[in-house]
Amino acid sequence: MVDVLKLGGSLLTDKTTPETIDEARLAEVAEVIAATDDCDLVLIHGGGSFGHPAAERHGMSPTAGTTNVSAVKDVTRAMRRFNDRVVDALQSVGIPAVGTQPFSCCRRTASGQLEVCAEPVKGQSEIGFLPVLHGDAIIDARAGATILSGDELAVELARSLGADRIGFCTGVPGVLDATNEVIPRIDSMEAVETVLTGTEGTDVTGGMAGKVELLLESSMPCAIFGPAELPAYLGGEFPGTRIGD
Amino acid sequence: MVDVLKLGGSLLTDKTTPETIDEARLAEVAEVIAATDDCDLVLIHGGGSFGHPAAERHGMSPTAGTTNVSAVKDVTRAMRRFNDRVVDALQSVGIPAVGTQPFSCCRRTASGQLEVCAEPVKGQSEIGFLPVLHGDAIIDARAGATILSGDELAVELARSLGADRIGFCTGVPGVLDATNEVIPRIDSMEAVETVLTGTEGTDVTGGMAGKVELLLESSMPCAIFGPAELPAYLGGEFPGTRIGD
């Protein structure tokens, strides 16, 4: 079973201090992944306190781009530093993790279509390695280079790999309703629109409404859950909020 | 005109000391490239004193692989450090250079075929960026991860990009005959076999005979020349040894 797991960037970093890893959380996540039998796992992490400050500094978002190579370097190297730390933590508990750079294998075309070259990642899985990708700056024919969120990459990569499901492990235990209760299942955007409107706008790469929309579009069984539910997810369950069939 | 230029790793580094850049040479090459009108240039550099010691440490070559992720990390990160220095030097003289990691966009299949995903590089050129790739460790379905030489990458990438020509800028002024004179033109391997046999064996990624063989197979007009001839090459000439039509 090919399982694409996105780990929220804010989950693994201290968002109040630039480029600061939440070491305890990262070690905990690594231990959980080391204990799983989920053999074809593909990991993706967000930008956290590495990518977001760099992207904001240069006014970059999924739609606002730059042709300044120095800005591109700033974002891609910050994300590499983050990815290196994640790969190192995973390798340190015996996971055969290898990093892959989206800037080198993804681009957006003139029509805004995201293209992901998944063959190297497929090859990594086939060898028995655990691929670890991340949000990044990528070439965008419309605007130089724009931001590719880890969320968008997870969904597109899952499609390219013919994945069986997608999990988003976030800082909250699922999609919350107006009374902060986890909504167990979402089958359409209309059903949750009123609830989700208020949570948008704090994250340039999508927020909770964006995640739900992306996952609904994936046509794959998906789950949004918190770190406490990670073992259950890796055990084959759909904890938190289940999205799609 | 799409022009793929491979810069020898030994040209840009001090091969006697691990991970040491030849700063004067790198600055000189950057100035020459900054002065050129060659608008669709794609650069590739070899491993030099970054990649070769790391590959040797782990017994890796284009055919001998490893499934040890720590070895893969060692080689890929050494090459990233080298590539970062090259990109920084190019950006410092105003060239819109961006690095691309072969580990993330190339692999060898079970039949040993090299696959290069060239779309992100194409996208970089279209935006007006100058892509800078390098020799690297890549996924190899036969053996875990093996070494991709800058020479092999240059030829395969040139093919994918539909390049007009390939230039190899090396530490020598061209392919030398038995009396150390530059052979002006080579049209077949047979014509130079006797001369080249003696120079093989010192470089795991091919040596001069390997370069000539690769370039003959490319079916593109190519040149092998020294750094003094780089301005002439970028001016459209075929200095040193011309290979193919």
Side-chain angles (χ1 to χ4, degrees), chain B residues 176-188:
Chain B
L176 306 179
D177 67 15
T179 61
N180 276 336
E181 291 293 313
V182 172
I183 304 171
R185 185 156 194 150
I186 298 176
D187 288 312
S188 78

Side-chain angles (χ1 to χ4, degrees), chain A residues 66-67 69-70 72-73 77 80 84 87-88 91 96-101 103-107 115 117 119-120 123-124 126-127 129 139-141 144, chain B residues 66-67 69-70 72-73 77 80 84 87-88 91 96-101 103-107 115 117 119-120 123-124 126-127 129 139-141 144:
Chain A
T66 183
T67 53
V69 285
S70 170
V72 175
K73 187 168 85 171
R77 290 197 188 171
R80 270 188 356 194
D84 282 356
V87 167
D88 290 348
Q91 284 195 10
V98 287
T100 291
Q101 186 191 40
F103 180 77
S104 298
C105 60
C106 304
R107 69 161 177 175
E115 286 182 354
C117 169
E119 277 67 30
Q124 291 165 23
E126 283 161 12
I127 286 295
F129 292 169
I139 290 296
D140 187 323
Chain B
T66 183
T67 54
V69 286
S70 170
V72 175
K73 188 169 85 172
R77 291 197 189 170
R80 269 188 357 195
D84 283 356
V87 167
D88 290 348
Q91 285 194 10
V98 286
T100 290
Q101 187 191 40
F103 180 77
S104 298
C105 59
C106 303
R107 69 161 177 176
E115 287 182 356
C117 170
E119 278 67 30
Q124 292 165 21
E126 283 162 12
I127 287 293
F129 292 169
I139 290 296
D140 187 324

Side-chain angles (χ1 to χ4, degrees), chain A residues 33-85:
Chain A
I33 293 171
T36 184
D37 290 332
D38 198 334
C39 53
D40 274 341
L41 189 62
V42 175
L43 282 186
I44 290 159
H45 61 81
S49 64
F50 288 79
H52 288 291
E56 271 166 32
R57 213 159 39 234
H58 301 291
M60 294 173 74
S61 77
T63 49
T66 183
T67 53
N68 178 348
V69 285
S70 170
V72 175
K73 187 168 85 171
D74 207 21
V75 175
T76 53
R77 290 197 188 171
M79 285 311 301
R80 270 188 356 194
R81 285 190 289 275
F82 187 4
N83 186 249
D84 282 356
R85 300 287 293 277

Side-chain angles (χ1 to χ4, degrees), chain A residues 157-228:
Chain A
L157 190 61
R159 195 175 288 139
S160 303
L161 297 173
D164 296 283
R165 58 180 200 151
I166 305 171
F168 279 10
C169 185
T170 70
V172 287
V175 184
L176 306 178
D177 66 16
T179 62
N180 276 336
E181 292 292 313
V182 172
I183 303 170
R185 185 156 194 147
I186 298 175
D187 287 314
S188 76
M189 210 57 203
E190 292 70 32
V192 288
E193 230 159 25
T194 350
V195 180
L196 290 177
T197 311
T199 65
E200 264 187 298
T202 52
D203 183 338
V204 286
T205 57
M208 193 54 91
K211 288 183 204 305
V212 173
E213 202 163 6
L214 267 171
L215 292 180
L216 280 170
E217 282 168 12
S218 79
S219 309
M220 258 174 242
C222 305
I224 298 178
F225 52 89

Side-chain angles (χ1 to χ4, degrees), chain A residues 1 42 47-48 86 90 111 140 185:
Chain A
M1 191 176 76
V42 175
V86 175
L90 294 167
S111 64
D140 187 323
R185 185 156 194 147

Side-chain angles (χ1 to χ4, degrees), chain B residues 32-55:
Chain B
V32 170
I33 293 171
T36 183
D37 291 331
D38 197 334
C39 54
D40 274 340
L41 189 61
V42 174
L43 281 187
I44 290 159
H45 60 82
S49 64
F50 288 78
H52 288 290

